[in-house]
Amino acid sequence: MKFPCRRITLLKITHVVYSAHSFPGRILVLVAHPQFMEQKAPSPPAMENGTQPCQERPPAAPEATITEGAAKIVFPNANEVFYNPVQEFNRDLTCAVITEFARIHLGAKGIQIKVPGEKDLQKVSGNLSEQEEEKAEQEERETLASGEQPRTAAVGEICEEGLRVLEGLAASGLRSIRFALEVPGLRSVIANDASARAVELMDRNVHLNGVAHLVQPNQADARMLMYQHQKASERFDVIDLDPYGSPAPFLDAAVQAVNDGGLLCVTCTDMAVLAGNSGETCYSKYGAMAIKSRACHEMALRIVLHSLDLHANCYQRFVVPLISISADFYVRVFVRVFTGQAKVKASASKQALVFQCVGCGAFYLQRLGKASRDPGGRVKFSAACGPPVTPECEHCGQRHQLGGPIWADPIHDLDFVGRVLEAVTTNPGRFHTSKRIQGVLSVVTEELPDVPLYYTLDHLSSTIHCNTPSLLQLRSALLHAGFRVSLSHACKNAVKTDAPPQALWDIMRCWEKECPVKRERLSESSPAFRILAVEPRLKANFNIREDANPSSRQQGLKRFQANPEANWGPRPRARPGAASKDPEEKRRLLQNKRKEPAEDPAQRAARLKTFPCKRFKEGTCQRGDQCCYSHSPAAPVVSADTLVTDCPETTTKIFPGPEAAAGGTGGPGVD
């Protein structure tokens, strides 16, 4: 047997203990006694410094091959590296957005990008007429005749003037690999992660997909990596942050490491915090108070945008939202970051506080700043005046909650959304979730861009305890009254309108007259009683209008995704070295862990019999033997002077000792 000279190994040979360090620099060959060969080897002892000696590495966890988009990755079944298949929609949308951003970015340099299947599908779909196709072909021929070769960027090729992409928290590297295989016009992609196991798996998947020339795995703290790229010449054109939970620790570094006019993509999965369950935690992470509201999903988007703009303002930069999406259990924002001291001054007028009534849910926005133009055309900034509400709600008399600040400007760039929607519609085979992307972006284009937040149809009806009108009836009533109204991609029953709360409650009062509520059942202090006690000033018309039905609803697009699969929510955090557990079994074990288990009836009856019946002591219990409590006489109290044990053989009496009899603290005497 060979012993390494740098490890202490003890072997029991017959009855003698030898140490390998007794013979430095030599190979020691020992023969063990047969009786010890059959015994189990003892566990290796600890080192003197507290560390454990080297042990054999446990067998590798089983692996699975996952195919998503054009990428194929090997993924361990154990929860060592995070992966959630439900976020395929997130990754597909990101590829589509970065593709259009590359088209704009490289188009300014005279470089055209080639997306697989895009040109062929345009010809088949017939979007271009024959004259337009001939004109485009003629322009190509003229370009070739002039001797100038058109510069193009294809998928999987290095574009020297292309985009430099950073994925700060890459995990398995799936997203970065998909960028290299599906997005044209890339110069390099850095797939970074702090986990050594994740980087090892990432490197393996990069070589498996043949994109090592584009994707560079890197192990580092994402914040330190971005802080090291603050110089203008070293910044990234695209930064993608998709952390487990909140991205708040990375935002300060991200707004400094992205190029001027670059794209910043951020995902937040801590929706419990952003939706108002813990307002103080939301303030500590994002600098805004979240309140519980029916419009909590859109409010979460606006809180994230406010936080991004607030971080960027510290460095004379500001953000311009392109697309802001609330989907499944997370929110996703795509913003461009620009530098400009003059435009940073307008950031205060883009933020607003939210006053929301706790009774009827009516909300009002108060801008933090005010921007106005003087007669000379110059923009002047000043503090806003407020508040827009009285101490008590004018509709129901309840108090107001204060939330925010939130982003009060538009959360989408409708021109950019239209470009992405057109690209996905003309090339539906590019992504597996193309139908959902098309449906969500169609609803986004129908949203009122200058109206923050929304009401919900069921909340308006439940507030006054009446039947719920159809969505078309309420939308028609608002349109007949001269107001604008739209849906919201964040909620199926959303009513986004520029109508003031007074007009909205007048419409609901008119609806209640058609479906009366029993007033005698309403409490005089309830919001429903106080709202219905006022006569409506506006006469609502509930006749259905043609423009009340949105186009996305008429086409039957996939606007609001149902649960994609069982247990589709957030996955557990990756824990390297932890044993993989079946999520179903773990969920069963943790079900109702905070609730006391149901008690057996027989055990409960026996437990209650140990308590004396108070009514029996008073002589008023009439249940007799059927009483659940004990009717037996109380056991005699055993004095401290004579304590007899239950031992059948000997009887021991304990008498107070002389110290105890005298009031001392000494121990009792035992006879």
Coordinates of all heavy atoms in Angstrom, one line a residue, residues 301-357:
L301 N -44.1 46.9 -11.8 CA -43.3 47.3 -13.0 C -42.8 48.8 -12.8 O -41.7 49.1 -13.0 CB -44.1 47.2 -14.2 CG -44.4 45.8 -14.8 CD1 -45.4 45.8 -15.9 CD2 -43.1 45.2 -15.3
R302 N -43.7 49.6 -12.3 CA -43.4 51.0 -12.2 C -42.4 51.2 -11.0 O -41.6 52.2 -11.1 CB -44.7 51.8 -12.0 CG -45.6 51.8 -13.3 CD -46.8 52.6 -13.1 NE -47.6 52.6 -14.3 CZ -47.4 53.4 -15.4 NH1 -46.5 54.3 -15.4 NH2 -48.2 53.2 -16.5
I303 N -42.5 50.4 -10.0 CA -41.5 50.5 -8.9 C -40.1 50.2 -9.4 O -39.1 50.8 -9.0 CB -41.9 49.7 -7.7 CG1 -43.2 50.3 -7.0 CG2 -40.8 49.5 -6.7 CD1 -43.7 49.4 -5.9
V304 N -40.0 49.1 -10.2 CA -38.7 48.7 -10.7 C -38.1 49.8 -11.6 O -36.9 50.1 -11.6 CB -38.8 47.3 -11.5 CG1 -37.5 47.0 -12.1 CG2 -39.3 46.3 -10.5
L305 N -39.0 50.4 -12.5 CA -38.5 51.4 -13.4 C -38.1 52.6 -12.6 O -37.1 53.3 -12.9 CB -39.6 51.8 -14.4 CG -40.0 50.8 -15.4 CD1 -41.2 51.2 -16.2 CD2 -38.8 50.5 -16.3
H306 N -38.8 53.0 -11.5 CA -38.4 54.1 -10.6 C -37.0 53.8 -10.0 O -36.2 54.7 -10.0 CB -39.4 54.3 -9.6 CG -38.9 55.0 -8.3 ND1 -38.7 56.3 -8.3 CD2 -38.6 54.5 -7.1 CE1 -38.2 56.7 -7.1 NE2 -38.1 55.6 -6.4
S307 N -36.8 52.6 -9.6 CA -35.5 52.2 -9.0 C -34.4 52.3 -10.0 O -33.3 52.8 -9.7 CB -35.6 50.8 -8.3 OG -34.4 50.5 -7.7
L308 N -34.6 51.8 -11.2 CA -33.6 51.9 -12.2 C -33.2 53.4 -12.5 O -32.0 53.7 -12.7 CB -34.0 51.2 -13.5 CG -34.0 49.7 -13.5 CD1 -34.8 49.1 -14.7 CD2 -32.6 49.1 -13.4
D309 N -34.2 54.2 -12.7 CA -34.0 55.6 -13.0 C -33.3 56.3 -11.9 O -32.4 57.2 -12.1 CB -35.3 56.3 -13.4 CG -35.1 57.6 -14.0 OD1 -34.5 57.7 -15.1 OD2 -35.6 58.6 -13.4
L310 N -33.7 55.9 -10.6 CA -33.0 56.6 -9.5 C -31.6 56.2 -9.4 O -30.7 57.1 -9.1 CB -33.8 56.1 -8.2 CG -33.4 56.8 -6.9 CD1 -33.8 58.3 -7.0 CD2 -34.1 56.1 -5.7
H311 N -31.2 55.0 -9.7 CA -29.8 54.6 -9.7 C -29.0 55.3 -10.8 O -27.9 55.7 -10.6 CB -29.7 53.1 -9.8 CG -29.9 52.3 -8.5 ND1 -29.0 52.3 -7.5 CD2 -31.0 51.6 -8.2 CE1 -29.5 51.5 -6.5 NE2 -30.7 51.1 -6.9
A312 N -29.7 55.4 -12.0 CA -29.0 56.0 -13.1 C -28.8 57.5 -12.9 O -27.8 58.1 -13.3 CB -29.8 55.8 -14.4
N313 N -29.7 58.2 -12.2 CA -29.6 59.6 -12.0 C -28.4 60.0 -11.2 O -27.9 61.1 -11.3 CB -30.9 60.1 -11.3 CG -32.1 60.1 -12.2 OD1 -33.2 60.2 -11.7 ND2 -31.9 59.9 -13.5
C314 N -27.9 59.1 -10.3 CA -26.7 59.3 -9.5 C -25.5 59.6 -10.4 O -24.5 60.2 -9.9 CB -26.5 58.2 -8.6 SG -27.8 57.9 -7.4
Y315 N -25.5 59.1 -11.6 CA -24.4 59.2 -12.5 C -24.7 60.0 -13.8 O -24.2 59.7 -14.8 CB -23.9 57.8 -12.9 CG -23.7 56.9 -11.7 CD1 -24.6 56.0 -11.3 CD2 -22.5 57.0 -10.9 CE1 -24.5 55.2 -10.2 CE2 -22.4 56.3 -9.7 CZ -23.3 55.3 -9.4 OH -23.1 54.6 -8.3
Q316 N -25.7 60.9 -13.6 CA -26.1 61.8 -14.7 C -26.6 61.0 -15.9 O -26.4 61.3 -17.1 CB -24.9 62.7 -15.2 CG -24.4 63.6 -14.1 CD -25.5 64.5 -13.5 OE1 -26.3 65.0 -14.2 NE2 -25.4 64.7 -12.2
R317 N -27.3 59.9 -15.6 CA -27.9 59.0 -16.7 C -29.4 58.9 -16.4 O -29.9 59.1 -15.3 CB -27.2 57.7 -16.7 CG -25.7 57.7 -16.7 CD -25.1 56.4 -17.0 NE -25.0 56.2 -18.4 CZ -24.5 55.1 -19.0 NH1 -24.1 54.1 -18.2 NH2 -24.5 54.9 -20.3
F318 N -30.1 58.4 -17.4 CA -31.6 58.2 -17.2 C -32.0 57.1 -18.1 O -31.2 56.7 -19.0 CB -32.4 59.5 -17.6 CG -32.2 60.0 -19.0 CD1 -33.1 59.6 -20.0 CD2 -31.1 60.7 -19.4 CE1 -32.9 60.0 -21.3 CE2 -30.9 61.1 -20.7 CZ -31.8 60.8 -21.7
V319 N -33.1 56.5 -17.8 CA -33.6 55.3 -18.5 C -34.8 55.7 -19.4 O -35.6 56.6 -19.1 CB -34.0 54.2 -17.6 CG1 -32.8 53.8 -16.7 CG2 -35.2 54.6 -16.7
V320 N -35.0 54.9 -20.5 CA -36.1 55.1 -21.4 C -36.7 53.7 -21.6 O -36.1 52.8 -22.2 CB -35.7 55.6 -22.8 CG1 -36.9 55.7 -23.7 CG2 -35.1 57.0 -22.6
P321 N -37.9 53.4 -21.0 CA -38.4 52.0 -21.1 C -38.8 51.7 -22.6 O -39.4 52.5 -23.3 CB -39.7 52.1 -20.2 CG -39.5 53.3 -19.4 CD -38.7 54.3 -20.2
L322 N -38.5 50.5 -22.9 CA -38.9 49.9 -24.2 C -40.1 49.0 -24.1 O -41.1 49.2 -24.7 CB -37.7 49.2 -24.9 CG -36.5 50.0 -25.3 CD1 -35.4 49.1 -25.9 CD2 -36.9 51.2 -26.2
I323 N -40.0 48.0 -23.3 CA -41.0 47.0 -23.0 C -41.0 46.7 -21.5 O -39.9 46.4 -21.0 CB -40.9 45.8 -23.9 CG1 -40.9 46.1 -25.4 CG2 -42.0 44.8 -23.5 CD1 -40.8 44.9 -26.2
S324 N -42.2 46.7 -20.9 CA -42.3 46.3 -19.5 C -43.4 45.2 -19.4 O -44.5 45.6 -19.7 CB -42.6 47.5 -18.6 OG -41.6 48.5 -18.8
I325 N -43.0 44.0 -19.0 CA -44.0 42.9 -19.0 C -44.1 42.3 -17.6 O -43.2 42.1 -16.9 CB -43.5 41.8 -20.0 CG1 -43.4 42.4 -21.4 CG2 -44.4 40.6 -19.9 CD1 -44.8 42.8 -22.0
S326 N -45.4 42.1 -17.2 CA -45.7 41.3 -16.0 C -46.3 39.9 -16.5 O -47.3 39.9 -17.2 CB -46.7 42.0 -15.2 OG -47.1 41.2 -14.1
A327 N -45.6 38.9 -16.2 CA -46.0 37.5 -16.7 C -45.7 36.5 -15.6 O -44.7 36.6 -14.9 CB -45.2 37.1 -17.9
D328 N -46.6 35.6 -15.5 CA -46.5 34.4 -14.5 C -46.2 35.0 -13.1 O -47.0 35.7 -12.5 CB -45.4 33.5 -15.0 CG -45.8 32.9 -16.4 OD1 -47.0 32.8 -16.7 OD2 -44.9 32.5 -17.1
F329 N -45.0 34.7 -12.6 CA -44.6 35.0 -11.2 C -43.5 36.0 -11.2 O -42.8 36.2 -10.2 CB -44.2 33.8 -10.4 CG -43.1 33.0 -11.1 CD1 -41.8 33.3 -11.0 CD2 -43.5 31.9 -12.0 CE1 -40.8 32.6 -11.6 CE2 -42.5 31.2 -12.6 CZ -41.2 31.5 -12.5
Y330 N -43.3 36.8 -12.2 CA -42.2 37.7 -12.3 C -42.6 38.9 -13.2 O -43.6 38.9 -13.9 CB -40.9 37.1 -12.9 CG -41.1 36.5 -14.3 CD1 -40.8 37.3 -15.4 CD2 -41.6 35.2 -14.5 CE1 -41.0 36.9 -16.7 CE2 -41.7 34.8 -15.8 CZ -41.5 35.6 -16.9 OH -41.6 35.1 -18.1
V331 N -41.7 40.0 -13.1 CA -41.8 41.1 -14.0 C -40.5 41.2 -14.8 O -39.4 40.9 -14.2 CB -42.1 42.4 -13.3 CG1 -43.5 42.4 -12.7 CG2 -41.1 42.7 -12.2
R332 N -40.6 41.7 -16.0 CA -39.4 41.8 -16.9 C -39.5 43.2 -17.5 O -40.5 43.6 -18.1 CB -39.5 40.7 -17.9 CG -38.3 40.8 -18.9 CD -37.0 40.3 -18.4 NE -36.1 39.9 -19.4 CZ -34.8 39.6 -19.2 NH1 -34.3 39.6 -17.9 NH2 -34.0 39.3 -20.1
V333 N -38.4 44.0 -17.4 CA -38.3 45.3 -18.0 C -37.1 45.3 -19.0 O -36.1 44.8 -18.7 CB -38.2 46.4 -17.0 CG1 -39.5 46.4 -16.1 CG2 -37.0 46.2 -16.1
F334 N -37.3 46.0 -20.1 CA -36.3 46.3 -21.1 C -36.2 47.8 -21.2 O -37.1 48.5 -21.6 CB -36.6 45.7 -22.4 CG -36.8 44.2 -22.4 CD1 -38.0 43.7 -22.2 CD2 -35.7 43.3 -22.6 CE1 -38.2 42.3 -22.1 CE2 -35.9 42.0 -22.6 CZ -37.1 41.4 -22.4
V335 N -35.0 48.4 -20.8 CA -34.8 49.8 -20.8 C -33.5 50.2 -21.5 O -32.6 49.4 -21.6 CB -34.8 50.4 -19.4 CG1 -36.1 50.1 -18.7 CG2 -33.6 49.9 -18.6
R336 N -33.5 51.4 -22.1 CA -32.2 51.9 -22.7 C -31.7 53.0 -21.7 O -32.5 53.7 -21.2 CB -32.5 52.5 -24.1 CG -32.9 51.5 -25.1 CD -32.9 52.1 -26.5 NE -31.6 52.4 -27.0 CZ -31.3 52.9 -28.2 NH1 -32.4 53.2 -29.0 NH2 -30.1 53.2 -28.6
V337 N -30.4 53.0 -21.5 CA -29.8 53.9 -20.6 C -29.0 54.9 -21.4 O -28.2 54.6 -22.2 CB -28.9 53.2 -19.6 CG1 -28.2 54.1 -18.6 CG2 -29.6 52.1 -18.9
F338 N -29.3 56.2 -21.2 CA -28.6 57.3 -21.8 C -28.0 58.2 -20.8 O -28.3 58.2 -19.6 CB -29.7 58.1 -22.7 CG -30.3 57.4 -23.8 CD1 -31.5 56.7 -23.6 CD2 -29.7 57.4 -25.0 CE1 -32.1 56.0 -24.7 CE2 -30.2 56.7 -26.1 CZ -31.4 56.0 -25.9
T339 N -27.0 59.0 -21.3 CA -26.3 60.0 -20.5 C -26.7 61.4 -20.9 O -26.7 61.7 -22.1 CB -24.8 59.8 -20.6 OG1 -24.5 58.5 -20.3 CG2 -24.0 60.8 -19.7
G340 N -27.1 62.3 -20.0 CA -27.4 63.6 -20.3 C -27.8 64.4 -19.1 O -28.9 64.1 -18.5
Q341 N -27.1 65.4 -18.7 CA -27.4 66.1 -17.4 C -28.6 66.9 -17.6 O -29.4 67.0 -16.6 CB -26.2 67.0 -17.1 CG -26.3 67.8 -15.8 CD -25.1 68.6 -15.5 OE1 -24.2 68.7 -16.3 NE2 -25.1 69.2 -14.3
A342 N -28.9 67.4 -18.7 CA -30.1 68.3 -18.9 C -31.4 67.4 -18.7 O -32.4 67.9 -18.1 CB -30.1 69.0 -20.2
K343 N -31.4 66.3 -19.3 CA -32.6 65.4 -19.3 C -32.8 64.7 -18.0 O -33.9 64.3 -17.6 CB -32.6 64.4 -20.4 CG -32.7 65.1 -21.8 CD -32.9 64.0 -22.9 CE -33.1 64.7 -24.2 NZ -33.4 63.7 -25.3
V344 N -31.7 64.6 -17.2 CA -31.8 64.0 -15.9 C -32.7 64.9 -15.0 O -33.4 64.4 -14.1 CB -30.4 63.8 -15.2 CG1 -30.5 63.4 -13.8 CG2 -29.7 62.7 -16.0
K345 N -32.7 66.2 -15.2 CA -33.5 67.1 -14.4 C -35.0 66.8 -14.5 O -35.8 67.2 -13.7 CB -33.2 68.6 -14.8 CG -31.8 69.0 -14.6 CD -31.6 70.4 -15.0 CE -30.2 70.9 -14.7 NZ -30.0 72.3 -15.2
A346 N -35.4 66.2 -15.6 CA -36.8 65.9 -15.8 C -37.2 64.6 -15.1 O -38.4 64.3 -15.2 CB -37.1 65.8 -17.3
S347 N -36.3 63.9 -14.5 CA -36.7 62.6 -13.9 C -37.6 62.8 -12.7 O -38.5 62.0 -12.5 CB -35.4 61.9 -13.4 OG -34.6 61.5 -14.5
A348 N -37.5 63.9 -12.0 CA -38.4 64.1 -10.8 C -39.9 64.2 -11.3 O -40.8 63.8 -10.6 CB -38.0 65.4 -10.0
S349 N -40.1 64.8 -12.4 CA -41.5 65.0 -12.9 C -42.0 63.7 -13.5 O -43.2 63.6 -13.9 CB -41.5 66.1 -14.0 OG -40.7 65.8 -15.1
K350 N -41.2 62.7 -13.6 CA -41.6 61.4 -14.1 C -42.0 60.4 -13.0 O -42.6 59.3 -13.3 CB -40.5 60.7 -15.0 CG -40.1 61.5 -16.2 CD -39.0 60.8 -16.9 CE -38.5 61.6 -18.1 NZ -37.3 61.0 -18.8
Q351 N -41.8 60.8 -11.8 CA -42.1 60.0 -10.6 C -43.4 60.5 -9.9 O -43.7 61.7 -10.0 CB -41.0 59.9 -9.6 CG -39.6 59.9 -10.2 CD -39.3 58.6 -11.0 OE1 -39.9 57.6 -10.7 NE2 -38.6 58.8 -12.1
A352 N -44.1 59.6 -9.3 CA -45.4 60.1 -8.6 C -45.6 59.2 -7.4 O -45.2 58.1 -7.3 CB -46.5 60.0 -9.6
L353 N -46.3 59.9 -6.4 CA -46.8 59.1 -5.2 C -48.2 58.7 -5.5 O -49.0 59.3 -6.3 CB -46.8 60.1 -4.0 CG -45.4 60.5 -3.5 CD1 -45.6 61.5 -2.4 CD2 -44.6 59.3 -3.1
V354 N -48.7 57.6 -4.9 CA -50.0 57.1 -5.1 C -50.8 57.2 -3.8 O -50.4 56.7 -2.8 CB -49.9 55.6 -5.5 CG1 -51.3 55.0 -5.8 CG2 -49.1 55.5 -6.8
F355 N -52.0 57.8 -3.9 CA -52.9 57.9 -2.8 C -54.1 56.9 -3.1 O -54.8 57.2 -4.1 CB -53.5 59.3 -2.6 CG -52.4 60.3 -2.1 CD1 -51.6 60.9 -3.0 CD2 -52.3 60.6 -0.7 CE1 -50.6 61.9 -2.5 CE2 -51.4 61.5 -0.3 CZ -50.5 62.1 -1.2
Q356 N -54.2 55.9 -2.3 CA -55.3 54.9 -2.6 C -56.2 54.8 -1.4 O -55.7 54.6 -0.2 CB -54.6 53.6 -2.9 CG -55.7 52.5 -3.1 CD -55.0 51.1 -3.5 OE1 -54.7 50.9 -4.6 NE2 -54.8 50.3 -2.5
C357 N -57.5 54.8 -1.6 CA -58.5 54.7 -0.6 C -58.5 53.2 -0.1 O -58.6 52.3 -1.0 CB -59.9 55.1 -1.0 SG -61.2 54.8 0.2

